[in-house]
Amino acid sequence: MEQEQQQVEVPSYFVCPISLQIMRDPVTLPTGITYDRDGIERWLLSAGTCPLTKQPVAPDCDPTPNHTLRRLIQSWCALHADHGVELVPTPKPPADRARVAALVSRLHATTSAALLDALRELKDVVSESDRNRKLLALVPGAVDILAAVITASSQSATAVCDEALEIICSLQLSEQCLARVIERDSEALVDALVDTLQRSNAKSRAHAAVLLADVTAAMSPSRLVSLPEQVFVEMVQLLRDKVSNPATKTALHVLVGTTSCGRNRVKAVEAGAVPVLIDMLLDGPDRRTCELTLATLDRLCGCAEGRAALVAHGTGVAMVGKMVLRVSDLATDKAVRVLRSVARNTATAAVVQEMAQTGVVGKLCLVVESAEQCSERTRERAGETLRLHARAWRNSPCLQPHLQALYPC
């Protein structure tokens, strides 16, 4: 079927300049250039210009549907259907701001049934396009109302909470919008998200983690310090349960972002984060997950409790050392930072010996010598780590030549 379609020459003016695919819903900007609605709406969410002309486009711009071109495309596709060309259906008309605002006003419903109906109708609308999601985010007070619904319904009406969570997570909220939500009642919202994370519904847990990541990223340090211990317990449990790869990455982002505060590091360690993170490395995660895992370990090894937990794990030091020069430059840098923290602050005679026997010291030697693979700062950290216990490691026959070359007596 695909081979037959490739033999049909598609008119160039049927093709979207962004996706390079046949347009299904062509719309024209004020600049006079026509794009597929989905592609240009996604583009305008992050860039306020016309992709081809580079001319500015107003944030409230509503592209004009090009009905004539759409009908030409539909006719052409029908004519070439026997060659495998997919038919283009007539798109649904996009929602207007008044309709979205009217749906938001229904979220003040006094009964759970009416509120649930309003949320489901609103979800159907925003799921249709990025434009509709943008319209919802622009309705004054819409995000605040959704956050209030989540806060009020997390336990009493889980279905209502789940629908509101799904809607709000589909929006690309600005920092200003998030700050307003936090200012309103961050403690109640965090508590509601923790309640959702404690459920068995994997989809709702994933949505709660996404919103928690957004909220904590916008919090001030003074608010982050006061996060309840249960936040870290639930993030660690989410990692342990392996709900999904996106959920795992989200939980790691939360841990990395919240453990910049010293007390939160201890909370995460007490929640059992370190052994779970090491076990994740043992499972051989993808590159980005590995980088986030090592970044989290680097944060947690900034406190004595975190370093102690790493050393206490049977394969903790060895597993971190294994990631050096194995995954990416960023992973190597984070792993070297962890090893430096251990060597500087938690290096008993047994740990020093373990680092030599498991090949960690050898990896550090390679980092120092790898000018092309590692950054200068990473090589400096590796060299600093080696110097801390160079005398003890020189006694190892396999390491002696390297260390003598790097640090001659």
Side-chain angles (χ1 to χ4, degrees), residues 7 19 22 24 48 91 172 189 200 224 227 230 250-251 260 266 271 279 286 294 299 303 322 337 340 345 396 403:
Q7 295 173 2
S19 67
I22 295 177
R24 305 177 70 83
Q172 294 186 347
L189 180 57
S200 58
L224 280 178
L227 283 175
Q230 200 60 35
T250 301
S260 58
V266 178
D279 290 344
D286 62 72
L294 289 167
R299 289 282 201 195
C303 67
K322 187 177 180 180
R337 288 173 62 96
R340 184 184 62 168
N345 302 292
S396 175
L403 290 171

Side-chain angles (χ1 to χ4, degrees), residues 306-325:
R307 294 188 295 271
L310 180 76
V311 170
H313 192 284
T315 60
V317 173
M319 201 62 227
V320 172
K322 187 177 180 180
M323 297 298 105
V324 174
L325 298 175

Side-chain angles (χ1 to χ4, degrees), residues 268-269 272-279 297 300 305-307 309-311 313:
V269 173
V274 173
V276 171
L277 293 168
I278 295 169
D279 290 344
L297 282 172
L300 300 186
E305 292 84 354
R307 294 188 295 271
L310 180 76
V311 170
H313 192 284

Side-chain angles (χ1 to χ4, degrees), residues 194-226:
V194 167
D195 289 339
T196 303
L197 286 162
Q198 292 173 337
R199 296 195 224 137
S200 58
N201 186 329
K203 185 177 180 180
S204 296
R205 292 176 70 195
H207 285 147
V210 169
L211 185 54
L212 184 63
D214 290 340
V215 169
T216 53
M219 278 185 176
S220 64
S222 60
R223 288 183 183 273
L224 280 178
V225 170
S226 62

Side-chain angles (χ1 to χ4, degrees), residues 112 148-162 165 188 190-199:
S112 294
V149 168
I150 293 169
T151 302
S153 308
S154 60
Q155 290 182 322
S156 59
T158 56
V160 168
C161 178
D162 291 348
L165 259 176
V190 169
D191 288 343
L193 294 176
V194 167
D195 289 339
T196 303
L197 286 162
Q198 292 173 337
R199 296 195 224 137

Side-chain angles (χ1 to χ4, degrees), residues 171-184:
L171 308 178
Q172 294 186 347
L173 301 180
S174 65
E175 291 185 8
Q176 182 180 6
C177 182
L178 286 168
R180 187 174 65 249
V181 171
I182 293 168
E183 189 63 30
R184 178 172 176 168

Side-chain angles (χ1 to χ4, degrees), residues 71-352:
R71 285 192 288 266
L72 286 173
I73 292 173
Q74 288 177 321
S75 298
W76 182 88
C77 289
L79 184 64
H80 295 86
D82 292 340
H83 296 280
V85 176
E86 183 182 355
L87 296 177
V88 174
T90 300
K92 292 182 179 179
D96 56 29
R97 186 169 300 187
R99 181 190 174 196
V100 175
L103 286 171
V104 171
S105 67
R106 289 174 55 193
L107 298 183
H108 293 289
T110 56
T111 66
S112 294
L115 179 56
L116 186 59
D117 288 342
L119 285 167
R120 286 174 174 168
E121 188 172 344
L122 184 60
K123 185 177 73 172
D124 289 340
V125 170
V126 299
S127 65
E128 290 176 1
S129 68
D130 285 329
R131 177 182 183 276
N132 290 357
R133 287 187 283 275
K134 183 179 179 181
L135 285 177
L136 174 59
L138 292 174
V139 173
V143 175
D144 301 275
I145 295 172
L146 288 168
V149 168
I150 293 169
T151 302
S153 308
S154 60
Q155 290 182 322
S156 59
T158 56
V160 168
C161 178
D162 291 348
E163 296 292 346
L165 259 176
E166 187 168 352
I167 293 171
I168 203 170
C169 286
S170 71
L171 308 178
Q172 294 186 347
L173 301 180
S174 65
E175 291 185 8
Q176 182 180 6
C177 182
L178 286 168
R180 187 174 65 249
V181 171
I182 293 168
E183 189 63 30
R184 178 172 176 168
D185 195 349
S186 62
E187 292 184 10
L189 180 57
V190 169
D191 288 343
L193 294 176
V194 167
D195 289 339
T196 303
L197 286 162
Q198 292 173 337
R199 296 195 224 137
S200 58
N201 186 329
K203 185 177 180 180
S204 296
R205 292 176 70 195
H207 285 147
V210 169
L211 185 54
L212 184 63
D214 290 340
V215 169
T216 53
M219 278 185 176
S220 64
S222 60
R223 288 183 183 273
L224 280 178
V225 170
S226 62
L227 283 175
E229 295 179 3
Q230 200 60 35
V231 167
F232 302 94
V233 171
E234 295 307 323
M235 288 300 99
V236 172
Q237 190 61 48
L238 199 61
L239 295 177
R240 189 179 285 117
D241 291 344
K242 302 177 183 178
V243 171
S244 67
N245 197 36
T248 293
K249 287 185 172 70
T250 301
L252 290 170
H253 276 294
V254 172
L255 290 175
V256 171
T258 56
T259 51
S260 58
C261 304
R263 179 56 192 164
N264 285 351
R265 295 172 187 169
V266 178
K267 294 176 186 176
V269 173
E270 291 177 346
V274 173
V276 171
L277 293 168
I278 295 169
D279 290 344
M280 287 173 59
L281 292 177
L282 285 166
D283 291 338
D286 62 72
R287 180 185 63 81
R288 186 55 185 152
T289 302
C290 182
E291 292 170 348
L292 287 169
T293 302
L294 289 167
T296 308
L297 282 172
D298 178 34
R299 289 282 201 195
L300 300 186
C301 284
C303 67
E305 292 84 354
R307 294 188 295 271
L310 180 76
V311 170
H313 192 284
T315 60
V317 173
M319 201 62 227
V320 172
K322 187 177 180 180
M323 297 298 105
V324 174
L325 298 175
R326 184 184 180 94
V327 179
S328 67
D329 292 344
L330 179 59
T332 294
D333 180 68
K334 297 301 182 183
V336 169
R337 288 173 62 96
V338 171
L339 295 171
R340 184 184 62 168
S341 294
V342 171
R344 180 190 287 171
N345 302 292
T346 322
T348 62
V351 171
V352 171

